[in-house]
């Protein structure tokens, strides 16, 4: 099947059949399709869209381009959570131990941060010694031993996605719902799950800024997951402000350990609330709890008893990290970092926060990557002190920059301050954390 013919068919607005989509994906995987041909078809798909059959065929072909994990020797139900990415989004590190402590296996394949969004693997690597580069056998062994493992995508999982994603990034074809769905779901379906909960973010720090786009993406992800036999549901959550107290790798792990130690403070509450919501849905989908309410009370128990913290400790030990952070989370904080306060220039109410600017500021001083190959400074970040709706007085603290020197604080200080849009009135919009849910129906 000649690539030119497949490209021309899609270019001319026709639907591709499964055979043509398989030919495309195997051509990408084995290198028979040139990058310019792949890019041309991606653009035709981006412009023309894909119908449900095409989208499912693309997902299946990408899934089958690599290995599908075999967990047949693990008795517990298997579930995962995937987030579309945000600023201060650290819930994976809380959800995995909570859900594992309730008897569900969590094989969590995660990603690295790029641009203004953080990545779970980078956060974990701020724990001294923690190894996220696991072979498939090691990954499975750790899931078996402690209930969850957190690792990067190996070369064997959905290799077609790796190539396609790099080309999409370089050809402005990332923001297409069917292409995003096939990319995310080919990796998640390779985990051979019983259940999947998606956290689709919307707002000023999200990939999908508009609620309707987030809802459409959530619905498409759920349709695909359920079509492949994985009980899938999605929560649409607010990313109009950073999630929780800290943004930045080691600082975010610190927040998670504090939460697992039941030392949650007011600014960390939204992190805990979202983690419990997503974890509760995972338990219900796995049949461990009948209702969300029942599920939340199970989760509360493993949190309060310290069982979830013990799961996290066990996992850190299995992945060669320094588990002492569970007893003394302050170890995560670099004593040499400089803390610089960001102050409000005037009085008023926080009407909006440019969350992307906060994430980009942290990236700029080394907390994230602008290019894939950039190194990370785990210690730098930002502490959020004010949320949307809060009243501030001129000169009051909006947040604190954790950096290496004053020059870094000067570089981003003004942008961090200007990220807070202050008005004379309290904003009418409340920005609920959990905006909507898509997928299965439960009694709440
Ligand atoms: N995350 C992915 O894994 N793939 C996409 O296409 C977009 C976000």
């Amino acid at each position: 099947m000649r690539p030119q013919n497949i490209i021309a068919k899609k270019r001319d607005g026709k639907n591709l059949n499964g055979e043509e989509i398989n030919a495309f994906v195997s051509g990408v995987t084995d290198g028979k399709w040139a990058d310019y041909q792949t890019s041309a078809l991606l653009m035709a798909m981006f412009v023309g869209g894909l119908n449900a059959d095409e989208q499912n065929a693309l997902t299946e072909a990408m899934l089958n381009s690599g290995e599908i994990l075999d967990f047949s020797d693990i008795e517990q139900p298997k579930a995962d959570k995937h987030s579309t990415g945000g600023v201060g989004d650290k819930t994976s590190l809380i959800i995995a131990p909570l859900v594992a402590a309730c008897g569900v296996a969590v094989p969590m394949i995660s990603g690295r941060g790029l641009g203004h969004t953080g990545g779970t693997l980078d956060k974990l690597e701020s724990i001294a010694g923690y190894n996220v580069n696991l072979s498939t056998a090691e990954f499975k062994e750790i899931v078996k031993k402690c209930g969850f493992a957190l690792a990067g995508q190996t070369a064997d999982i959905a290799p077609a996605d790796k190539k396609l994603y790099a080309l999409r990034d370089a050809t402005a074809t990332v923001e297409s719902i069917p292409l995003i769905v096939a990319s995310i779901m080919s990796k998640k379906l390779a985990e051979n799950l019983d259940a999947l909960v998606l956290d689709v973010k919307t707002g000023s720090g999200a990939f999908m800024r508009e609620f309707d786009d987030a809802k459409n993406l959530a619905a498409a992800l759920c349709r695909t997951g359920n079509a492949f036999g994985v009980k899938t549901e999605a929560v649409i959550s607010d990313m109009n402000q950073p999630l929780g107290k800290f943004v930045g790798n080691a600082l975010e792990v610190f927040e998670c350990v504090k939460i697992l130690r039941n030392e949650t403070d007011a600014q960390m509450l939204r992190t805990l609330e979202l983690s419990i919501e997503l974890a509760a849905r995972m338990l219900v989908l796995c049949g461990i709890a009948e209702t969300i309410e029942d599920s939340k009370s199970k989760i509360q128990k493993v949190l309060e008893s310290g069982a979830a913290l013990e799961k996290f400790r066990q996992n850190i030990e299995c992945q060669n990290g320094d588990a002492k952070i569970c007893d003394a989370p302050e170890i995560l904080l670099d004593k040499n970092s400089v803390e610089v306060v960001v102050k409000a220039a005037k009085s008023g109410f926080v009407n909006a926060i440019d969350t992307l600017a906060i994430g980009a500021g942290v990236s700029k001083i080394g907390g994230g990557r602008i290019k894939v190959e950039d190194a990370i400074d785990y210690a730098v970040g930002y502490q959020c002190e004010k949320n949307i709706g809060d009243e501030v007085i001129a000169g009051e603290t909006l947040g604190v920059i954790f950096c290496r020197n004053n020059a870094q604080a000067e570089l981003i200080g003004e942008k961090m301050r200007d990220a807070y849009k202050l008005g004379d009135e309290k904003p009418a919009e409340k920005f609920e954390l959990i905006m909507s849910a898509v997928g299965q129906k439960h009694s709440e």
Side-chain angles (χ1 to χ4, degrees), residues 114-412:
L114 188 61
H116 71 283
T117 64
T120 301
L121 301 181
D122 300 319
K123 295 174 215 238
L124 289 165
E125 283 180 342
S126 63
I127 304 172
Y130 196 99
N131 177 23
V132 296
N133 299 310
L134 304 175
S135 67
T136 304
E138 289 165 334
F139 184 70
K140 276 165 52 178
E141 205 41 52
I142 295 173
V143 175
K144 234 162 130 179
K145 195 162 166 193
C146 82
F148 75 95
L150 289 150
Q153 181 186 358
T154 65
D156 301 330
I157 292 185
D161 175 64
K162 233 180 188 164
K163 283 199 179 176
L164 288 172
Y165 194 81
L167 287 175
R168 285 167 60 211
D169 199 28
T171 58
T173 50
V174 170
E175 297 89 351
S176 146
I177 286 185
L179 296 180
I180 295 172
V181 170
S183 167
I184 293 176
M185 295 308 287
S186 61
K187 289 171 286 202
K188 289 291 131 185
L189 294 169
E191 293 174 355
N192 215 338
L193 303 168
D194 298 296
L196 174 65
V197 173
L198 298 143
D199 177 16
V200 179
K201 308 274 188 199
T202 187
S204 64
F207 190 40
M208 293 282 159
R209 293 178 80 97
E210 302 304 324
F211 177 80
D212 286 346
D213 293 334
K215 193 147 194 178
N216 288 337
L217 174 60
L221 287 164
C222 289
R223 263 197 313 274
T224 307
N226 287 307
F228 281 82
V230 178
K231 289 184 184 160
T232 307
E233 74 179 33
V235 163
I236 300 175
S237 72
D238 179 47
M239 195 25 77
N240 282 296
Q241 50 196 330
L243 182 67
K245 184 165 186 171
F246 291 108
V247 180
N249 297 285
L251 291 164
E252 291 187 40
V253 180
F254 173 78
E255 180 172 342
C256 294
V257 178
K258 293 292 274 183
I259 290 173
L260 289 170
R261 287 173 57 81
N262 293 297
E263 292 167 2
T264 307
D265 69 23
Q267 202 58 32
M268 299 173 181
L269 269 177
R270 279 166 72 95
T271 306
L272 177 59
E273 190 191 335
L274 183 57
S275 303
I276 291 179
E277 182 69 34
L278 296 165
R281 289 172 186 274
M282 289 164 76
L283 294 192
V284 174
L285 289 180
C286 285
I288 296 281
E290 284 203 0
T291 63
I292 296 285
E293 204 179 48
D294 175 25
S295 191
K296 285 186 179 171
S297 90
K298 281 194 162 62
I299 289 165
Q300 208 64 50
K301 275 196 194 121
V302 296
L303 180 64
E304 281 165 18
S305 70
L309 180 69
E310 284 317 298
K311 273 281 161 215
F312 195 41
R313 183 196 304 279
Q314 212 185 341
N315 167 269
I316 297 174
E317 282 164 359
C318 286
Q319 299 202 208
N320 293 327
D322 178 6
K324 286 200 294 295
I325 63 157
C326 295
D327 304 309
E330 318 68 58
I331 299 174
L332 288 156
L333 308 179
D334 191 326
K335 291 195 181 63
N336 296 319
S337 68
V338 179
E339 293 175 31
V340 178
V341 171
V342 176
K343 292 183 178 161
K346 59 172 192 169
S347 300
F349 290 90
V350 181
N351 273 242
I353 298 177
D354 182 348
T355 311
L356 190 146
I358 305 260
V362 170
S363 284
K364 195 156 191 162
I365 58 171
R369 291 188 184 79
I370 311 297
K371 293 189 273 24
V372 183
E373 59 276 17
D374 289 345
I376 297 262
D377 183 343
Y378 299 109
V380 303
Y382 185 68
Q383 176 177 332
C384 309
E385 287 287 308
K386 292 288 175 189
N387 301 323
I388 294 176
D390 287 350
E391 186 172 12
V392 293
I393 316 252
E396 205 183 340
T397 301
L398 294 167
V400 182
I401 300 171
F402 286 69
C403 52
R404 291 287 167 196
N405 49 51
N406 286 325
Q408 283 187 331
E410 273 166 32
L411 182 69
I412 64 164

Side-chain angles (χ1 to χ4, degrees), residues 33-52:
W33 276 50
D35 285 355
Y36 48 81
Q37 291 171 316
T38 304
S39 303
L41 184 56
L42 285 171
M43 186 56 83
M45 287 174 161
F46 182 96
V47 174
L50 297 179
N51 69 17

